[in-house]
Amino acid sequence: MDLFLQTLVSGFLKGGLYALIGMGMTLIMGVMGIINLAHGQIMMVGMYITYSLFALYGVDPYLSLFVSMPAIFVLGVTIQKYLLNPLLRAETILPENQVLMTVGVGMVLTEVMRFIFTSDYKSARTSYSNATFFLGEISFSVPLVIDLFIAIMMTVALFLFLVKTDTGKSIRATAQDKEAASLMGINAERITYITFGLGSALVAAAGTLLMPIFYLFPDIGGPFTRKAFVICVLGGLGSTVGAIFGGITLGLAEAFGATYVAMEFEDMIGLVMFILVLLFLPGGFKRITKI
Amino acid sequence: MLKVEGLNVFYGDMQALWDVSFEVRPKEVLVLLGANGAGKSTILRTLSGLSCAAEGSVTFNGVRLDQIPADKIIQHGLVHVPEGRRLFPDMTVEENLIMGSLAPEPKRRRQKTLERVYGLFPRLRERMGQYAGTLSGGEQQMVAVGRGLMGLPKILMLDEPSLGLSPLLAQEIFKIIRLINSEGVTILLVEQNVKQSLKVCNRAYVLENGRITLSGTGEQLSSNDHVKQAYLGI
């Protein structure tokens, strides 16, 4: 029973971070209608920012959120403005080519980071990296609990932004009907910048939160892009609420897979679920939650 | 007030509008009539910047609307209620209405206008927390018109507001159009419901195959033989 609870707890903690990663991708998917295949790589750049601040100036990884998020927001805006939107203007090019562009962006980001930091594993070990506390027999990793707390705060902030502010409403309106949105006076192009920036900042936050417990190397982006995609499909493409469910489901699935099947199958479990969902619940949890 | 001159509009290689010129006068109800595919919606789309004119000009109170981007046009007081309502289905009724008032001036007066819209459509106040996608067709049309009013229009352009509504509801919409007009809003109406719209309008233009073929007051056109034959079925 303890093992079961322990697995549940660690899966849930990881799921909170996955939700953050998934929400960033699903926002972009909802508004621009494309899968951002550079998502994990953008996160990786955010992690390197956090690592550099830690290694050079001893900045606590959690504090560096205030640098990594704005910096990656700017990176996201730049990618959207100068690399993705120009593709829309050429009429002969299919919108799918934006997706190919994100693949290219991902590669460039990876190689630039490899050039600067080499392929060596880096980490930001802090005094609390391995700290745990116990509730009964169940152990909680301190950094993961802090991560979950911050992830929840960011999720709440994101929802308040999307529901309460005019800009947030404009993002939702653009996702639902681009043309009607432009009749309302919404500058759709500006919304795409903000959305890509926001989605990138969210995943950068997830990366920064992972830093105290994770190793970092340039190729870490690819697996996370895949995970983000799985989360979005689980949750239903474009659904923000779905991404939270998708993230937590993936976290739990990986944890249970690692505990009850085999450690090596951790990543495979997620992908098997991904295929099962595509086969038996196309549309993801959105079909059930309706949001 | 609004002057359209020599408009030629293409969809790809196909020409949708041929040398279309007309004007909208202050405080009137102007109707554009025509069959499906005659180019009525294209005219409205061009006025609000969704389609681009290859030639011609659109001047609104001295401003060349054809030279400014679509999302800036609403600020000049030209508000387009598009065909098929085009609400934001996963947003509530109130949120949809709020989306109509993003420009600076409408935003300042948002609460007041909202009260006015709820006064005009008491039904919407009851449903303000409901998702727009779950409303009935008539209610959706009310939201669409209400959302247009939220932008404090000088000219309200309505594209087939009676489409898909029961005759009773359609009459209701026409009544409201007249009411809005009596409050000082100029109306540019595109309709297939010729009988009703000739009744509410001051003037009308008839559009055939992308060209304006007839124009006159509502009464003149109601008694015109061609209109009778082609559109009224008399």
Side-chain angles (χ1 to χ4, degrees):
Chain A
M1 191 60 198
D2 280 347
L3 181 66
F4 176 81
L5 283 178
Q6 181 66 64
T7 312
L8 195 71
V9 164
S10 56
F12 193 78
L13 289 176
K14 205 156 71 167
L17 279 180
Y18 284 172
L20 211 52
I21 297 173
M23 279 190 301
M25 189 185 237
T26 211
L27 259 188
I28 294 170
M29 185 140 25
V31 173
M32 270 79 86
I34 60 158
I35 303 156
N36 171 23
L37 289 177
H39 205 59
Q41 283 83 347
I42 290 173
M43 173 176 128
M44 177 267 303
V45 177
M47 291 171 91
Y48 271 110
I49 292 177
T50 301
Y51 165 75
S52 307
L53 287 174
F54 178 82
L56 295 175
Y57 304 107
V59 179
D60 185 272
Y62 289 115
L63 267 183
S64 67
L65 273 178
F66 293 103
V67 181
S68 66
M69 284 182 74
I72 297 298
F73 179 88
V74 173
L75 175 70
V77 169
T78 313
I79 291 174
Q80 181 68 33
K81 187 168 184 176
Y82 295 105
L83 297 174
L84 297 178
N85 276 341
L87 292 181
L88 287 179
R89 267 173 231 130
E91 274 183 28
T92 48
I93 299 181
L94 294 167
E96 287 78 7
N97 283 21
Q98 282 183 294
V99 179
L100 297 183
M101 177 61 100
T102 64
V103 175
V105 168
M107 287 176 180
V108 170
L109 291 178
T110 306
E111 296 315 316
V112 168
M113 289 304 132
R114 199 190 315 280
F115 182 72
I116 302 174
F117 295 97
T118 74
S119 291
D120 296 346
Y121 281 38
K122 313 274 187 199
S123 66
R125 292 283 133 188
T126 55
S127 54
Y128 50 78
S129 282
N130 293 318
T132 49
F133 64 87
F134 285 87
L135 283 181
E137 293 293 303
I138 317 293
S139 75
F140 290 79
S141 141
V142 171
L144 271 176
V145 170
I146 299 174
D147 286 356
L148 182 70
F149 182 68
I150 297 177
I152 290 173
M153 282 201 316
M154 282 186 180
T155 309
V156 171
L158 176 71
F159 273 85
L160 286 178
F161 169 72
L162 289 176
V163 172
K164 296 282 177 202
T165 66
D166 273 10
T167 311
K169 284 188 193 125
S170 301
I171 290 179
R172 286 161 60 214
T174 310
Q176 292 171 34
D177 192 331
K178 209 170 199 164
E179 211 173 75
S182 115
L183 286 179
M184 299 300 114
I186 296 168
N187 181 340
E189 206 163 292
R190 194 176 140 256
I191 293 295
T192 62
Y193 307 155
I194 296 175
T195 308
F196 206 99
L198 201 61
S200 304
L202 283 172
V203 76
T208 299
L209 294 179
L210 277 172
M211 255 337 262
I213 43 174
F214 235 75
Y215 286 105
L216 168 63
F217 51 99
D219 291 310
I220 204 175
F224 276 99
T225 297
R226 273 200 297 284
K227 276 185 188 170
F229 186 51
V230 171
I231 294 163
C232 288
V233 171
L234 284 177
L237 301 180
S239 158
T240 327
V241 180
I244 299 174
F245 283 107
I248 290 170
T249 311
L250 183 66
L252 287 174
E254 284 186 3
F256 278 101
T259 307
Y260 289 103
V261 186
M263 202 67 184
E264 308 85 73
F265 290 155
E266 194 182 357
D267 283 336
M268 203 183 86
I269 300 288
L271 292 171
V272 169
M273 262 181 50
F274 171 66
I275 292 168
L276 290 180
V277 165
L278 279 181
L279 283 176
F280 298 111
L281 192 68
F285 294 135
K286 202 178 174 184
R287 287 264 296 272
I288 301 167
T289 62
K290 301 282 179 212
I291 333 178
Chain B
M1 188 176 194
L2 178 81
K3 208 167 173 144
V4 175
E5 278 174 299
L7 222 49
N8 282 312
V9 176
F10 294 82
Y11 286 123
D13 288 336
M14 200 197 75
Q15 186 157 6
L17 293 181
W18 303 75
D19 194 28
V20 167
S21 302
F22 66 95
E23 61 165 340
V24 185
R25 298 173 190 158
K27 312 267 185 259
E28 74 173 344
V29 178
L30 180 72
V31 174
L32 297 174
L33 297 176
N36 241 339
K40 307 180 301 277
S41 298
T42 308
I43 293 186
L44 295 199
R45 290 176 60 86
T46 311
L47 296 188
S48 56
L50 294 177
S51 299
C52 276
E55 275 174 75
S57 67
V58 179
T59 320
F60 181 50
N61 290 338
V63 182
R64 280 288 294 273
L65 290 188
D66 50 310
Q67 289 171 348
I68 60 178
D71 57 274
K72 295 278 180 290
I73 285 185
I74 194 169
Q75 295 176 10
H76 292 271
L78 188 73
V79 178
H80 182 175
V81 178
E83 185 177 5
R85 320 187 236 284
R86 305 292 289 270
L87 300 180
F88 304 113
D90 297 333
M91 294 174 98
T92 65
V93 168
E94 179 142 318
E95 281 178 320
N96 265 280
L97 292 175
I98 285 173
M99 292 320 289
S101 59
L102 293 177
E105 180 59 23
K107 190 171 175 171
R108 249 192 310 278
R109 291 162 55 182
R110 183 176 283 173
Q111 277 313 315
K112 255 191 179 154
T113 332
L114 206 54
E115 281 308 309
R116 184 177 151 221
V117 170
Y118 283 145
L120 216 51
F121 303 105
R123 198 56 180 277
L124 297 187
R125 195 195 297 272
E126 294 164 26
R127 312 250 150 163
M128 61 189 217
Q130 204 172 319
Y131 285 107
T134 65
L135 298 177
S136 74
E139 290 163 343
Q140 289 195 11
Q141 191 60 57
M142 292 178 195
V143 179
V145 174
R147 189 177 66 176
L149 288 176
M150 292 297 292
L152 303 174
K154 293 187 183 107
I155 296 186
L156 187 63
M157 306 196 292
L158 299 159
D159 196 343
E160 308 248 12
S162 72
L163 192 74
L165 300 187
S166 71
L168 212 66
L169 274 173
Q171 233 165 24
E172 190 72 21
I173 289 287
F174 280 109
K175 214 184 286 171
I176 282 170
I177 290 172
R178 219 174 316 177
L179 187 68
I180 294 168
N181 177 246
S182 70
E183 286 175 4
V185 180
T186 308
I187 308 276
L188 174 53
L189 179 64
V190 156
E191 259 301 334
Q192 287 196 32
N193 189 337
V194 175
K195 212 163 156 186
Q196 287 269 16
S197 44
L198 281 180
K199 240 187 277 172
V200 298
C201 76
N202 300 102
R203 293 186 311 120
Y205 290 91
V206 177
L207 210 63
E208 279 167 0
N209 298 322
R211 293 179 176 84
I212 288 184
T213 50
L214 275 175
S215 65
T217 66
E219 283 157 28
Q220 280 169 355
L221 288 180
S222 305
S223 55
N224 180 290
D225 284 339
H226 177 68
V227 172
K228 268 187 186 168
Q229 230 174 20
Y231 299 103
L232 295 172
I234 313 175

